[in-house]
Amino acid sequence: MDLRENIAKVRSDLEAAARAAGRDPSGITLLAATKTQSSDTIRAAIAAGITACGENRVQELTAHLADNAYEGAAVHFIGHLQTNKVKYVVGRVELIHSISSEKLLRAVAAQADKLGIVQDVLLEVNLAGEDSKSGFSPQEALSAARLAAELTGVRLRGLMCIPPAAAQPGDNLPYFKKLCRLTVDITREMLDNTIDMDVLSMGMSGDWPDAVAAGSTCIRVGSALFGPRPPVSTRKD
Ligand SMILES: *Cc1c(COP(=O)(O)O)cnc(C)c1O
């Protein structure tokens, strides 16, 4: 596999998909999902034009930061985060996509307060109600958004979802449309106008064209750029 070619291909497909949806391609971030990749591979991806990397695991994030592997790109956190590990993530990444409980939201806000910063976050929504996945139900997302608006340490930028693996194109389109609609609904419910949700993080290697059609502003792509990963049974991501 050729990383440079893969990146160029996903980029040109992304531009075509955006245009087909009547959207400006510059409004959609191609976030490279770098889990299991080495620091050298991450550097190569950035040299080939990747501007944002998404990490899943605190350990990998910490190691790559120590290596200066992300130089020239933004770093996001997209994986399951335990409250006892927020200190390794808050203030070190531009955006945390995976706020999956009010407890975690409070812990992130408290750590940000301690550092005297405001951490940008997304709420992860478990649209299909899958037991294997973290996240708020669509109903819970509204109260979590209200809580986020009260906490000084976080700025709620939008929503994220990881729908079931799609068997074929079109399968996840209903989920992506639902997340888009949920953003609109939550914004309308927040009467005091305290939030401006401009990020919709949805779409992975197997389904991102549908996510772009539904309004995604950030696709998180791993295997389509880096090739298949070795199977990991113990990891929750
Ligand atoms: C691994 C991962 C991705 C990318 O998955 P691919 O199918 O390899 O593109 C996107 N988002 C999250 C949260 C992930 O863990």
Side-chain angles (χ1 to χ4, degrees):
M1 75 107 208
D2 184 314
L3 181 57
R4 213 164 254 282
E5 265 173 33
N6 292 350
I7 292 171
K9 168 95 170 83
V10 172
R11 271 222 192 280
S12 70
D13 289 352
L14 176 55
E15 279 178 23
R19 294 231 164 75
R23 305 185 52 204
D24 178 355
S26 70
I28 306 165
T29 302
L30 170 59
L31 184 79
T34 48
K35 60 174 173 269
T36 77
Q37 305 303 328
S38 68
S39 290
D40 281 344
T41 301
I42 292 171
R43 285 189 195 100
I46 295 167
I50 286 297
T51 57
C53 298
E55 280 299 345
N56 273 80
R57 301 190 87 197
V58 170
Q59 238 176 338
E60 290 179 53
L61 172 72
T62 304
H64 293 318
L65 282 173
D67 262 359
N68 257 332
Y70 306 114
E71 210 171 319
V75 190
H76 295 199
F77 194 81
I78 62 176
H80 186 67
L81 182 56
Q82 290 169 297
T83 49
N84 62 347
K85 293 196 176 154
V86 297
K87 61 175 176 290
Y88 302 111
V89 177
V90 173
R92 297 183 180 181
V93 301
E94 197 162 280
L95 180 65
I96 301 174
H97 292 226
S98 42
I99 300 293
S100 54
S101 70
E102 293 200 353
K103 183 179 169 215
L104 178 61
L105 182 61
R106 287 182 196 277
V108 165
Q111 177 65 16
D113 282 339
K114 204 164 135 186
L115 298 175
I117 60 161
V118 177
Q119 176 69 59
D120 280 358
V121 299
L122 306 179
L123 301 177
E124 179 174 350
V125 184
N126 186 351
L127 291 172
E130 293 172 280
D131 287 340
S132 62
K133 284 182 186 152
S134 319
F136 297 96
S137 70
Q139 293 75 22
E140 292 165 342
L142 174 60
S143 52
R146 289 203 166 111
L147 174 60
E150 285 167 15
L151 297 170
T152 52
V154 289
R155 178 166 42 227
L156 180 60
R157 296 288 305 276
L159 305 179
M160 177 269 223
C161 73
I162 310 173
Q168 45 190 329
D171 278 2
N172 281 342
L173 192 57
Y175 290 117
F176 296 141
K177 287 182 172 168
K178 206 168 161 185
L179 196 71
C180 190
R181 213 171 309 127
L182 189 58
T183 301
V184 175
D185 290 347
I186 290 175
T187 305
R188 198 173 33 217
E189 290 291 326
M190 307 282 287
L191 297 172
D192 45 1
N193 232 352
T194 44
I195 56 164
D196 178 20
M197 299 206 290
D198 59 352
V199 180
L200 206 45
S201 168
M202 54 187 199
M204 302 173 33
S205 294
D207 58 16
W208 68 259
D210 287 331
V212 167
S216 174
T217 69
C218 180
I219 61 172
R220 310 176 311 267
V221 181
S223 46
L225 302 178
F226 300 109
R229 289 178 298 273
V232 184
S233 52
T234 53
R235 182 145 64 221
K236 189 173 189 184
D237 58 17

